[in-house]
Amino acid sequence: MKPFAQSLLALWRELGLNQRVSLVVAALVVAGVVAGLVVWSRQPDYQLLYGRLAEKDAAAIVSALQAQGVPHKVMGGGGTIYVPADQVHRLRMELAGKGLPGGEGVGFEIFDKGQFGLSDFVQRTNYNRAIQGELARTIAQLDGVASARVMIVQPENRLLLTDQGIKPTASVFIEVNGRLETEAVNSIRHLVANSVQGLSPDEVAVVDQRGRVLSANLKEDPLLGSASSLIRYRQQVEDYFVAKIEGMLTPVLGPGQAVVRVSAEIDNESATLVEERFDPESAVIRSQTNTEDTTSSTESKRGGTVGVTGNTPPAPGAADATAEERPSVTNAQNRKNQTVSYEINRSTSNVKRNPGGIKSLTAAVFIASRPPAAEGQPSTARTPAELDALRRTVLNALGLKPAAGQNIEELVTLQETPFQPVVVDESVAKAATETRIQGWVSAAARYLSTAIAIGALFLFYKMLRGQRVEPVPVELLTPVTAGSARNNGPAVLTPELLNELIRQKPANVGTALRDWVGTKRN
């Protein structure tokens, strides 16, 4: 160990001032980098424990972690907590056993503790609070929603209802980060509506922290009575046909080579048609009744002397002299009656037409010019036959059938024109570039310290290799004596002299001998 220290001391004495300063600075840099790496490697790997916490939940979790002595980091404005990676799952289970995090409001844990003697009104109020709290926690888990509060109003449960038209309503207040998509707002409406009995999505109002009613234009109007509902429905129909045509033209022409717009005329009137038809040609006998009546009667007429004599009855025992002279009349009557009832074929139709029918469709299509076959050559225009084939393809995709004598160009307008080059917004390109650079920086920061340490060690190694002791010839190591100085003759290297030189300067002698032995002799 002592010879090694002496060698280093001898090396240090032979270095110049600049070399000494460089060596000290490099040693300090390497020592600092190594110390930083050691400190950084001893720090635990922090992972997310909980994010987007309320202030109350964050304070309770931090207090629990401090009581256990667990190292932690609080970031994200106090709503995000990081703990060592090897303790994440254990801490989540322990905190869940303590009911943390509780989330916004009160959930169904309000019923965990049995409470006796509560009235029915208090029980229903607690249930309503639990529903509101659970819905608020669920909505807060959506992307773009920082926090949420839900208020539900249910009609009072009475024995005798005076107004049957009262229905439950709900309102949702959300704090959004940026802009919330329409699909997310609609999902919030249906989530709340399906959690409350008798609540429809149209009775759920969604409001953000800026005072905007996000659900105002999402109410369903089956009769399309409002102008906003009609415009929204028309836009949906037109977007459907545009996507259908563009999806068909893109594989043929290429992406971005066709611009399609569809105009739809929507019928917004509702009507009920009741029709009753009779067909006399299809009459059939329903019932038939035949009645036959025969009547026969005989009447005798008395004749004789007119007056008192004729009207005086004869004496007893006297024969009626005029009996043979009395005439008789016979009446016979025969009557037949036939009644036939016919059933006439009758058809009744009741047709109710709701609004939303498509009266007419028209389309306008722009297609880009065909690219040139080679660079520097003009592009070749499509022939009228090719344009007509594309027009008929679009016409069939829309399901349109031109009337007799109607030109298909009136339904589908197709035109070939050169497209202008897309101008990229500088702000958008700059933002994309900054985002990409930030990604690179964040990725490089992970390995920056390791790269600096490796670079410093490599630099230090190169400096040590460059600071070798210059070889000293054996002849210069021989002490100059008085006799040799006077005679100017070469000194003789004896074993005793060599041993003396080794004791005086072992480093120089060792280097000189190594170089002398390694030198090729002729």
Side-chain angles (χ1 to χ4, degrees), residues 386-448:
E386 294 176 344
L387 297 178
D388 187 67
L390 290 175
R391 184 180 294 106
R392 292 185 177 277
T393 302
V394 174
L395 187 71
N396 294 332
L398 293 175
L400 299 178
K401 295 181 180 180
Q406 186 179 12
N407 192 356
I408 62 174
E409 294 183 356
E410 299 178 1
L411 300 176
V412 177
T413 302
L414 191 142
Q415 183 177 356
E416 181 183 12
T417 181
F419 283 9
Q420 297 295 329
V422 179
V423 179
V424 181
D425 192 359
E426 295 182 358
S427 60
V428 177
K430 184 178 180 181
T433 304
E434 291 179 355
T435 304
R436 184 167 57 253
I437 292 175
Q438 290 178 0
W440 293 345
V441 170
S442 60
R446 303 175 183 176
Y447 310 101
L448 182 61

